[in-house]
Amino acid sequence: MAFSLMIAIPAILVSFLFIRIQEAQIYKEAVSTANSHVTRLNEQIRSRLGMIESVSRMALAQRAFIDFIHSDMREDGLRLVKFRQNEFEHMHTMILSFRMIESLSFYVDNPDLYEIWPEIYHYERFEPKDYWVTLREQGGASYRLFALQEGDQTLGYYRLVRLSGSQLQPMIMEIRVPHRELFGDLLGDRSRDWFTVILDSTRPDHAIFDAEHPIARQVEDGLGRLLAAVLSEMDMLNQTDEPVETIVDDHRYYAVYRYIAPLQAYVLDIASHQTLMQGPRNMYALVIVVTCCVLLLMLLLVSHTTRRIFRRLDSVLASMRKVRKGDLNAKIRTGLESHETGDEIDEVAVSYNDMLDEIQRLMTQVIDKQLVAKNAQLHSLHSQINSHFLYNALESIRMLAEVKRQPEIADVLVSLGSLMRYSMKWQSDTVLLQEELTNIRNYIRFMNFMEGGNLRLQEHIPQDLLRYTIPKMCMQPIVENAVHHAAPKGGSVRIQITAWVADDSMLLIEIRDDGTGIEPQMLANLQAVLRGTADAPIVASKNGLGLENVHKRLQLHYGQDSGLRIDSVKGSYTCVTIRLPWRNSNLGGW
């Protein structure tokens, strides 16, 4: 026993001393790492804030844009069109070039402002109205960690522009940046013992952090008290590398921080004493035994493991070199079955192969869009050849019909002229739903004259939808199909157009006729083409149903949820539904 005590007591004392030394070393290294981390985050955040300020300066440098939105935008429609094509497009392109910017908006006290774009608003939409006084007191610009309007997950940058003319309030520019874009990659490391938080210097309940971090989940309801306690201990004027300490719910916490003056907020790393010391206290009793075992095993494992890892990494690097030379088919062979996951390197290889497939798909999609746009441009140019000659000829024939007292022929010529003007003049890729309906009425009137008056058109469209913008000529081909294929010989056909908004997300336009319907096999082929599962496309020249082109162009521009849906019962009806996005600020034509 005496011999055992002589061995045990010194061993225990040395172990306790070793534990204390290790705890102090871990604490020192953890604090040093946290200081480096928050300093780096402080610099990164300031750099990103500087980029936001650069965006604001670039936006305000567009003097023609600023002057126009202060002028009478309703005075001249041509000026508005030119502004849309030049100054507004330049401003919009500049905003889109900065990925993390969610929106850049101007709030102008101008009674003649025309609110047709999401970047330009009346000052009445801004809350609070007197915020410009605060901006003036803060030097004309200010950040808000949480934006004024609907800013739960958004940072706002506000800049006072100027007060001119009859304005009661000066124009305010607002730049909104989602927290996930500005801070997401800075707060998402859950492997660290430190919990990173962006904290408002005046309100502890205004904080940005990763809610799934182990410390956040551990504290849960006590997180608000923890942040309030840490905030009370921090001093923006006397920042040191030593962490502040606080005790919440019998747990000690350390916080290392840096003050970000533009944001009036702190970036801080928080760690609990228990978490920092958990590793040493669990492992020190076994450190000697584990060290001996590890030293013996390392000699055996390192050689085998490194050879295996580097051999597989060489295959990954070889594939990447081929891709760098332009070979997108240089995929990495994993040898895995479809249900197998493999290890980390296999996961990298699978993700890499998926990335190559996605790149090829996106390249194909871009080429398809470019071809569609070029074909539409060539078609438009071709349609405009000698258009003035055709208009003048139709007008001369109409005048002759008036002289000859043939009012029906004169009216039909007016309808035909309207049809030709609508189809040949492409001043814009989009039109109002009301304009497309007017063109369809002219077409039905003309076809009734040609066919003997067997076509009837009914419309059930709410007034507020008539001002909605749709792609030009997206309804006309469907109506033509109904006219040419729905009516039985010697019979009449009724075409009914209905529009409504579904789930506040999609505009649905239904074109239904009570004609002969479609053969079941032809209907199945058409539906397969619209679903993208057909083996071969439907050829319009053979069956007269040119729906695939309209459907494909709608999906290319507005996504897979858009396009056409078709349903028919032989001898009863045919119904084609056009699906367009309801709330889409980038809605355009072909």
Side-chain angles (χ1 to χ4, degrees):
M1 185 178 295
F3 180 79
S4 300
L5 291 176
M6 289 176 61
I7 300 298
I9 292 175
I12 294 173
L13 293 176
V14 170
S15 298
F16 275 109
L17 178 61
F18 181 74
I19 291 174
R20 295 294 298 174
I21 294 174
Q22 289 297 312
E23 286 180 348
Q25 183 65 25
I26 288 175
Y27 173 82
K28 182 178 179 180
E29 291 177 357
V31 171
S32 176
T33 302
N35 274 300
S36 300
H37 184 252
V38 295
T39 300
R40 184 171 66 255
L41 291 185
N42 182 31
E43 294 172 356
Q44 291 176 336
I45 293 173
R46 288 177 181 271
S47 175
R48 296 180 183 185
L49 295 181
M51 189 186 73
I52 296 174
E53 294 176 4
S54 298
V55 173
S56 71
R57 289 193 293 270
M58 291 171 61
L60 295 180
Q62 311 301 316
R63 305 303 302 176
F65 181 94
I66 301 299
D67 292 336
F68 186 85
I69 64 178
H70 280 83
S71 65
D72 185 358
M73 295 176 65
R74 305 174 185 272
E75 180 181 6
D76 187 353
L78 182 59
R79 285 180 64 238
L80 191 63
V81 172
K82 291 182 177 179
F83 169 75
R84 169 65 179 84
Q85 295 175 345
N86 297 298
E87 289 85 2
F88 178 81
E89 186 65 25
H90 181 70
M91 178 72 73
H92 190 65
T93 303
M94 182 190 70
I95 297 172
L96 293 178
S97 64
F98 293 89
R99 180 181 59 84
M100 73 174 184
I101 302 297
E102 180 183 67
S103 65
L104 188 151
S105 305
F106 295 89
Y107 295 87
V108 188
D109 183 18
N110 179 10
D112 299 318
L113 188 73
Y114 203 13
E115 281 189 342
I116 57 175
W117 298 294
E119 287 83 1
I120 306 172
Y121 298 98
H122 285 287
Y123 191 89
E124 290 297 321
R125 293 182 179 269
F126 189 86
E127 293 293 340
K129 298 292 187 300
D130 59 348
Y131 186 66
W132 67 271
V133 179
T134 303
L135 284 178
R136 183 182 61 188
E137 295 172 354
Q138 295 180 349
S142 177
Y143 287 94
R144 291 188 64 89
L145 192 60
F146 291 80
L148 287 171
Q149 303 178 83
E150 300 178 357
D152 290 342
Q153 303 294 330
T154 308
L155 176 139
Y157 175 70
Y158 302 90
R159 187 158 181 171
L160 193 63
V161 181
R162 65 182 181 183
L163 180 66
S164 63
S166 60
Q167 288 181 300
L168 298 177
Q169 293 91 6
M171 182 175 76
I172 291 180
M173 180 179 66
E174 179 192 51
I175 298 178
R176 295 169 64 90
V177 181
H179 290 163
R180 65 179 182 278
E181 294 291 340
L182 188 60
F183 305 114
D185 58 334
L186 306 179
L187 308 178
D189 189 358
R190 300 172 187 171
S191 62
R192 299 176 64 247
D193 293 333
W194 293 87
F195 174 44
T196 304
V197 181
I198 310 296
L199 180 62
D200 193 301
S201 61
T202 59
R203 296 187 57 179
D205 58 330
H206 277 192
I208 304 170
F209 53 86
D210 181 8
E212 297 300 320
H213 192 279
I215 292 182
R217 300 181 66 178
Q218 176 185 349
V219 178
E220 294 183 346
D221 297 337
L223 183 60
R225 297 194 304 274
L226 173 60
L227 294 179
V230 171
L231 183 61
S232 65
E233 297 290 335
M234 292 188 297
D235 186 359
M236 69 180 67
L237 301 179
N238 186 23
Q239 301 183 61
T240 65
D241 290 341
E242 290 298 320
V244 298
E245 298 183 19
T246 186
I247 298 177
V248 176
D249 297 335
D250 297 328
H251 290 279
R252 180 183 299 175
Y253 294 91
Y254 305 105
V256 178
Y257 66 96
R258 292 292 182 273
Y259 182 69
I260 308 174
L263 275 182
Q264 298 182 19
Y266 294 96
V267 54
L268 62 152
D269 274 359
I270 301 175
S272 69
H273 178 81
Q274 180 181 0
T275 301
L276 290 180
M277 301 306 164
Q278 181 178 3
R281 292 182 177 180
N282 291 338
M283 298 297 296
Y284 290 155
L286 301 175
V287 65
I288 296 176
V289 176
V290 171
T291 300
C292 295
C293 294
V294 169
L295 288 176
L296 293 175
L297 293 175
M298 283 180 61
L299 294 176
L300 299 175
L301 295 177
V302 167
S303 178
H304 172 74
T305 304
T306 53
R307 282 200 303 267
R308 183 175 182 271
I309 291 176
F310 283 107
R311 183 172 63 250
R312 299 174 67 196
L313 287 177
D314 286 340
S315 65
V316 174
L317 294 175
S319 176
M320 290 182 176
R321 294 188 188 100
K322 292 180 181 179
V323 171
R324 188 163 58 239
K325 294 179 181 179
D327 184 10
L328 295 180
N329 292 317
K331 295 184 178 180
I332 302 171
R333 295 182 179 179
T334 60
L336 297 176
E337 299 294 337
S338 58
H339 62 278
E340 296 178 338
T341 57
D343 57 15
E344 291 79 3
I345 296 180
D346 290 328
E347 186 175 351
V348 170
V350 171
S351 300
Y352 180 79
N353 293 339
D354 292 342
M355 181 188 69
L356 292 181
D357 293 336
E358 182 67 13
I359 290 174
Q360 291 180 331
R361 187 188 68 80
L362 292 176
M363 291 176 63
T364 302
Q365 185 177 9
V366 169
I367 293 173
D368 288 342
K369 285 187 177 182
Q370 291 175 347
L371 289 176
V372 169
K374 182 60 67 177
N375 290 336
Q377 183 179 9
L378 292 175
H379 177 73
S380 176
L381 292 174
H382 178 73
S383 299
Q384 294 178 19
I385 297 175
N386 293 330
S387 60
H388 290 291
F389 170 77
L390 295 175
Y391 297 156
N392 293 335
L394 287 175
E395 183 64 20
S396 297
I397 297 173
R398 186 189 70 81
M399 292 299 296
L400 182 60
E402 292 284 355
V403 172
K404 297 294 185 178
R405 296 184 178 180
Q406 296 290 334
E408 183 178 1
I409 297 177
D411 292 340
V412 170
L413 288 173
V414 170
S415 299
L416 179 59
S418 299
L419 284 170
M420 294 179 64
R421 285 187 177 89
Y422 186 80
S423 61
M424 291 183 178
K425 294 181 67 175
W426 287 74
Q427 295 179 351
S428 173
D429 291 332
T430 59
V431 296
L432 299 179
L433 177 58
Q434 184 175 6
E435 295 175 352
E436 184 82 356
L437 288 174
T438 300
N439 181 62
I440 291 174
R441 295 189 197 107
N442 290 328
Y443 173 74
I444 295 297
R445 189 180 298 114
F446 177 75
M447 293 306 297
N448 276 330
F449 176 80
M450 297 294 294
E451 302 292 339
N454 294 324
L455 304 173
R456 290 176 295 158
L457 179 65
Q458 295 181 355
E459 303 168 12
H460 301 285
I461 300 176
Q463 287 296 321
D464 56 338
L465 296 185
L466 294 177
R467 304 297 298 174
Y468 184 77
T469 303
I470 65 172
K472 187 174 182 179
M473 300 293 286
C474 68
M475 298 170 59
Q476 179 72 18
I478 302 171
V479 175
E480 290 183 12
N481 280 338
V483 170
H484 292 296
H485 301 284
K489 285 188 178 182
S492 63
V493 66
R494 175 171 57 88
I495 300 173
Q496 179 175 309
I497 300 177
T498 308
W500 71 95
V501 178
D503 299 330
D504 201 29
S505 61
M506 298 297 294
L507 173 65
L508 303 182
I509 303 175
E510 182 182 272
I511 302 175
R512 175 187 289 264
D513 66 72
D514 58 356
T516 59
I518 303 175
E519 293 291 339
Q521 183 60 43
M522 176 60 67
L523 177 63
N525 293 340
L526 279 172
Q527 291 174 339
V529 168
L530 298 183
R531 290 194 304 269
T533 60
D535 295 331
I538 297 297
V539 181
S541 61
K542 292 183 179 180
N543 52 45
L545 297 174
L547 303 180
E548 181 184 10
N549 189 28
V550 175
H551 174 72
K552 183 177 293 185
R553 288 187 290 175
L554 288 175
Q555 287 202 332
L556 280 174
H557 284 79
Y558 310 127
Q560 294 298 317
D561 290 337
S562 301
L564 303 183
R565 305 290 187 273
I566 185 170
D567 186 26
S568 180
V569 174
K570 181 64 177 176
S572 179
Y573 72 91
T574 298
C575 178
V576 179
T577 304
I578 303 174
R579 296 172 59 87
L580 292 171
W582 172 241
R583 299 187 182 276
N584 189 344
S585 59
N586 296 320
L587 185 66
W590 318 123

